[in-house]
Amino acid sequence: AQTVTQSQPEMSVQEAETVTLSCTYDTSESDYYLFWYKQPPSRQMILVIRQEAYKQQNATENRFSVNFQKAAKSFSLKISDSQLGDAAMYFCAYKGPPRTGNQFYFGTGTSLTVIP
Amino acid sequence: NAGVTQTPKFRILKIGQSMTLQCTQDMNHNYMYWYRQDPGMGLKLIYYSVGAGITDKGEVPNGYNVSRSTTEDFPLRLELAAPSQTSVYFCASPPGGGPTDTQYFGPGTRLTVL
């Protein structure tokens, strides 16, 4: 099984500030896909952002952006102008190329607190 | 279009009891997944299906069974519930098998086995 590691069980950020959540992964593949999911207290999993490994450009979705370092196998999430609604668990996930199967692998999550 | 729905939302079982967790999607997706999420942990894949009549094991299939007789439904069966199966169960479905598929998750089922 692939390994996805989130080394920060908890993070906090002041409202309107910027925070970065870390994620590393282990793979021997060159073509794969990475995702960040948000899980608020409602427990619904919500896709925040995704990145294709073959793309050099870092993905961006409004206030959310990633720093994808392929050689280092690192995929961090940056949240700018943090809002109270950003408070949630954040999960990093990996999916290999289709020929390796259709499984997603998730990290253990980072709990983000936003301080008013 | 309700997306992915799961029932029940909550359930308490006694050791040895059986139950079926229901998952339905109305998006005509071929792929469906069952995950479990233990407290403080990430999601672990139990079983998945790439289409009606086709299922395959994930990382943690022991103690569970699935079936996929229709595109819409992917029920998860626990035959002899054990305390180790206390968890939150999520059903998910991407729109296809493509490389950049997101996953649409159901709201989850919180199961407690006493």
Side-chain angles (χ1 to χ4, degrees):
Chain A
Q2 303 296 331
T3 303
V4 178
T5 302
Q6 292 178 251
S7 59
Q8 305 154 314
E10 296 178 347
M11 292 282 285
S12 61
V13 61
Q14 288 287 140
E15 195 175 2
E17 297 294 310
T18 296
V19 64
T20 299
L21 308 183
S22 301
C23 174
T24 60
Y25 56 93
D26 181 31
T27 186
S28 58
E29 301 291 339
S30 60
D31 186 21
Y32 50 88
Y33 312 92
L34 298 163
F35 305 81
W36 277 99
Y37 285 89
K38 171 185 176 182
Q39 187 182 44
S42 65
R43 292 198 171 275
Q44 183 77 11
M45 295 286 281
I46 303 165
L47 178 69
V48 175
I49 200 167
R50 64 174 180 242
Q51 173 83 42
E52 294 94 319
Y54 68 87
K55 290 186 177 178
Q56 292 186 335
Q57 187 173 6
N58 289 324
T60 299
E61 288 287 342
N62 300 313
R63 297 182 295 106
F64 299 88
S65 62
V66 298
N67 184 5
F68 174 47
Q69 301 289 327
K70 192 171 184 179
K73 297 180 183 175
S74 170
F75 183 60
S76 60
L77 175 69
K78 185 172 82 171
I79 306 174
S80 304
D81 185 26
S82 297
Q83 300 175 359
L84 295 178
D86 295 334
M89 282 289 287
Y90 286 82
F91 291 96
C92 179
Y94 163 97
K95 181 174 186 270
R99 62 175 173 76
T100 65
N102 297 287
Q103 299 191 24
F104 284 67
Y105 295 91
F106 289 81
T108 53
T110 297
S111 178
L112 179 65
T113 300
V114 180
I115 303 166
Chain B
N1 187 333
V4 180
T5 58
Q6 290 181 239
T7 57
K9 284 190 170 57
F10 304 94
R11 184 71 184 269
I12 298 175
L13 286 181
K14 294 182 179 178
I15 294 172
Q17 286 186 319
S18 301
M19 77 164 294
T20 299
L21 283 67
Q22 301 291 345
C23 175
T24 300
Q25 53 94 2
D26 62 359
M27 300 173 284
N28 202 32
H29 293 172
N30 286 321
Y31 289 76
M32 296 185 76
Y33 298 77
W34 271 109
Y35 295 92
R36 59 176 287 173
Q37 183 180 26
D38 298 332
M41 302 295 288
L43 296 165
K44 296 289 186 182
L45 183 64
I46 305 171
Y47 271 95
Y48 67 101
S49 170
V50 302
I54 306 169
T55 62
D56 208 347
K57 296 178 180 179
E59 289 183 83
V60 290
N62 292 341
Y64 306 94
N65 278 300
V66 294
S67 60
R68 185 89 184 275
S69 56
T70 67
T71 299
E72 294 77 20
D73 299 307
F74 189 41
L76 178 71
R77 179 82 178 161
L78 284 72
E79 291 294 347
L80 293 170
S84 61
Q85 293 177 304
T86 294
S87 190
V88 180
Y89 291 82
F90 287 96
C91 180
S93 180
T100 60
D101 285 338
T102 64
Q103 291 215 49
Y104 296 89
F105 281 82
T109 295
R110 182 185 292 273
L111 175 67
T112 302
V113 182
L114 301 174

